[in-house]
Amino acid sequence: MKEQLLRVQEEALATIATATESATVQEMRVRYLGKKSDLSVVLGGLGKLPTIDERKAMGALGNEVKMAISGALDAREAELAKGELAARLAAESIDVSLPGTPAPVGHLHLMNQVRTKIEEIFIAMGYEVAESRIVETDWYNFEALNIPKGHPARDAQDSFFITDEVLLRTHTSNTQIRYMLEVAKGRTPVKIICPGRVFRRDFEDATHGSVFHQVEGLMIDKGITMAHLKGALTEMFRGIFGPQARVRLRPSYFPFTEPSAEMDVSCPFCGGNGCRICKQSGWVEIGGSGMVHPNVLKAGGYDPEQVSGWAFGYGIERVAMLAYQIEDLRHFTSGDVRFLRQF
Ligand code: PHE
């Protein structure tokens, strides 16, 4: 039996030494120490040994063999596991200092960038951003703005009427009235900037669209004059076109302002010296402005004897085209990412 035990040990240790994977060592543990192992079979014969001393001696030897095999298994397994871990760490290691592949991210559409910029300029001066309805009634879009039915100014803003009294707003000026009546309700000062979409029955070309964006400014308080208007416009144009921008107001007419003025900015291309863009005048027209007409103040619930105000309105597309040298406003809605990515 002694020889049998030693042979079992010898064979087991030799095989264990050849194991190359820790998984194999686990299989060997079953093979050499399990219930059906040679060792168990040999030790099963212990009871048949003739003397107690022999049984004791073989029992002790059997234990030693068991310990030797299990020790060898443990050692081999530990050794292999260490190697395997090292190999895995090496294979799966990530160099976190390597530059990654950037995931493509979008950005705000140029129109929204310009709109946000304009809003920020006014927010910094304590204005509130106000929005109102796109589908509007005749009263808010025209009547309350001192444009009664039959007024020739209605022609200049050919409209999309939905019913006799409801239309797609032709300008953001409806927000002046909505804000006065629904938000400010007679309190002063009123300081708002109102961006939004407007609609006109226009033929589309490089500089006209039937859907475009405007931004409206409105300020009402005691003692407001055109000097305040010019100050706000100057601040706005400097924010958009740079610190060298200058503002020019030219007498004009709008039913909802009196006096009214076209507002021009010094040409952003030539700085005012004269070029093709400004037709050698040094100025480019941006939009309309003026002192809020007394009838408009009244329609908004304000007493024109107590307060005065200024307002302006212009197309955001036009300003974006000037600021970024874009020759055709149809690019904005083309959905062509090659155009959009540039900004
Ligand atoms: N609502 C005018 C337009 O769309 C612009 C404007 C606004 C003019 C406010 C004066 C004052 O043309």
Side-chain angles (χ1 to χ4, degrees):
M1 177 171 268
K2 182 177 178 183
E3 274 151 35
Q4 277 180 311
L5 285 173
L6 292 177
R7 204 174 333 111
V8 166
Q9 171 172 329
E10 193 180 329
E11 191 208 312
L13 295 187
T15 322
I16 290 165
T18 65
T20 52
E21 282 173 44
S22 55
T24 325
V25 178
Q26 274 156 38
E27 285 164 27
M28 289 176 175
R29 194 179 293 280
V30 177
R31 173 141 47 103
Y32 293 120
L33 297 178
K35 282 197 189 100
K36 290 177 191 154
S37 63
D38 290 350
L39 182 61
S40 296
V41 174
V42 175
L43 290 176
L46 267 184
K48 291 185 194 121
L49 289 176
T51 67
I52 283 219
D53 286 348
E54 271 176 285
R55 274 180 242 156
K56 264 193 186 161
M58 287 308 112
L61 180 60
N63 254 341
E64 275 169 36
V65 169
K66 201 185 236 171
M67 299 298 280
I69 295 175
S70 124
L73 285 166
D74 290 350
R76 189 71 192 141
E77 191 173 356
E79 200 177 324
L80 290 171
K82 209 169 131 194
E84 281 162 16
L85 179 64
R88 231 177 99 188
L89 285 177
E92 294 177 6
S93 75
I94 302 167
D95 182 350
V96 290
S97 69
L98 277 179
T101 316
V105 285
H107 61 68
L108 284 185
H109 189 284
L110 179 59
M111 282 306 302
N112 276 331
Q113 290 181 40
V114 174
R115 169 192 165 147
T116 306
K117 174 99 205 166
I118 297 165
E119 288 176 6
E120 280 168 0
I121 294 167
F122 280 92
I123 288 168
M125 294 192 283
Y127 286 64
E128 188 185 333
V129 178
E131 289 179 273
S132 73
R133 300 179 190 200
I134 282 172
V135 179
E136 189 53 284
T137 64
D138 185 283
W139 192 80
Y140 284 95
N141 193 83
F142 291 127
E143 209 88 19
L145 288 158
N146 202 31
I147 317 175
K149 291 205 169 65
H151 192 289
R154 290 196 179 210
D155 290 348
Q157 300 188 356
D158 258 349
S159 324
F160 291 110
F161 271 91
I162 293 164
T163 68
D164 280 354
E165 286 299 317
V166 177
L167 74 160
L168 300 180
R169 69 174 175 194
T170 58
H171 50 188
T172 42
S173 303
N174 67 325
T175 311
Q176 291 190 29
I177 307 297
R178 291 240 172 235
Y179 190 89
M180 283 190 264
L181 290 177
E182 293 166 9
V183 184
K185 296 176 178 159
R187 100 171 128 65
T188 51
V190 170
K191 292 170 79 180
I192 52 170
I193 184 84
C194 327
R197 237 180 307 164
V198 300
F199 306 82
R200 289 190 194 173
R201 244 180 49 195
D202 230 334
F203 290 105
E204 307 205 339
D205 62 21
T207 54
H208 297 85
S210 47
V211 183
F212 60 103
H213 297 80
Q214 277 193 338
V215 60
E216 190 95 2
L218 174 69
M219 161 116 194
I220 300 171
D221 206 350
K222 281 196 165 63
I224 295 299
T225 71
M226 279 192 107
H228 297 109
L229 169 65
K230 193 165 182 185
L233 294 179
T234 303
E235 189 69 16
M236 172 174 73
F237 288 138
R238 288 188 179 160
I240 299 170
F241 295 109
Q244 73 296 333
R246 283 166 291 126
V247 174
R248 181 173 76 171
L249 295 176
R250 272 182 297 120
S252 185
Y253 173 78
F254 298 102
F256 30 90
T257 45
E258 182 59 35
S260 301
E262 296 287 343
M263 49 186 182
D264 300 341
V265 69
S266 49
C267 179
F269 297 97
C270 62
N273 298 327
C275 68
R276 192 179 52 82
I277 305 284
C278 61
K279 300 195 185 81
Q280 307 306 329
S281 73
W283 298 94
V284 287
E285 191 182 313
I286 298 292
S289 64
M291 299 307 290
V292 181
H293 194 287
N295 289 348
V296 176
L297 288 171
K298 275 187 219 158
Y302 284 82
D303 180 356
E305 300 294 329
Q306 297 297 317
V307 296
S308 55
W310 55 247
F312 68 77
Y314 61 84
I316 306 181
E317 277 83 353
R318 179 167 169 73
V319 161
M321 287 169 82
L322 285 168
Y324 292 90
Q325 310 197 18
I326 296 159
E327 77 295 350
D328 192 326
L329 61 65
R330 287 170 292 197
H331 287 313
F332 290 128
T333 47
S334 66
D336 189 338
V337 289
R338 290 171 306 175
F339 168 76
L340 297 172
R341 276 200 193 116
Q342 299 176 80
F343 309 102

